[in-house]
Amino acid sequence: MSGRINLLLTALLVGCALSVVTAQYKARQLFIELERAQAAARQLDIEWAQLQLDQSTLGKHARIEANARRDLGMVALTPARAQYLTAGTR
């Protein structure tokens, strides 16, 4: 009788030990996945900040004007170069 109880308790102990090992393995896997997700989130935050900086830089009036002068050959309109149209005159 005592041998059966010992055998039952031993089997129960082995089952509990295997359960603990499995739980620890799953916890480690989840922790690794969490770390990867947090690293990806940090990288996306860095990229978002860089994109916001680029947008603010590219949208400035002075830069747009400089690009228009350099790339398109545009110049500011002066009164001497302006042509006025009036209705009814030829």
Side-chain angles (χ1 to χ4, degrees):
M1 185 74 157
S2 176
R4 285 186 179 171
I5 292 176
N6 283 342
L7 185 61
L8 178 64
L9 290 175
T10 302
L12 187 62
L13 180 64
V14 169
C16 288
L18 289 175
S19 176
V20 167
V21 169
T22 303
Q24 285 179 340
Y25 176 76
K26 287 181 182 179
R28 284 188 192 116
Q29 292 297 333
L30 289 173
F31 181 74
I32 290 169
E33 187 178 336
L34 175 65
E35 288 291 319
R36 285 182 185 155
Q38 287 175 342
R42 283 190 297 272
Q43 183 62 32
L44 288 173
D45 284 340
I46 291 169
E47 289 177 17
W48 174 251
Q50 184 63 42
L51 287 172
Q52 285 180 325
L53 179 65
D54 290 346
Q55 182 182 20
S56 69
T57 302
L58 293 175
K60 289 187 177 178
H61 179 70
R63 185 174 192 288
I64 293 171
E65 186 175 347
N67 284 344
R69 288 180 189 273
R70 183 185 65 238
D71 298 339
L72 302 175
M74 297 177 124
V75 293
L77 184 64
T78 60
R81 293 186 54 211
Q83 293 181 359
Y84 300 97
L85 300 176
T86 58
T89 61
R90 289 188 182 197

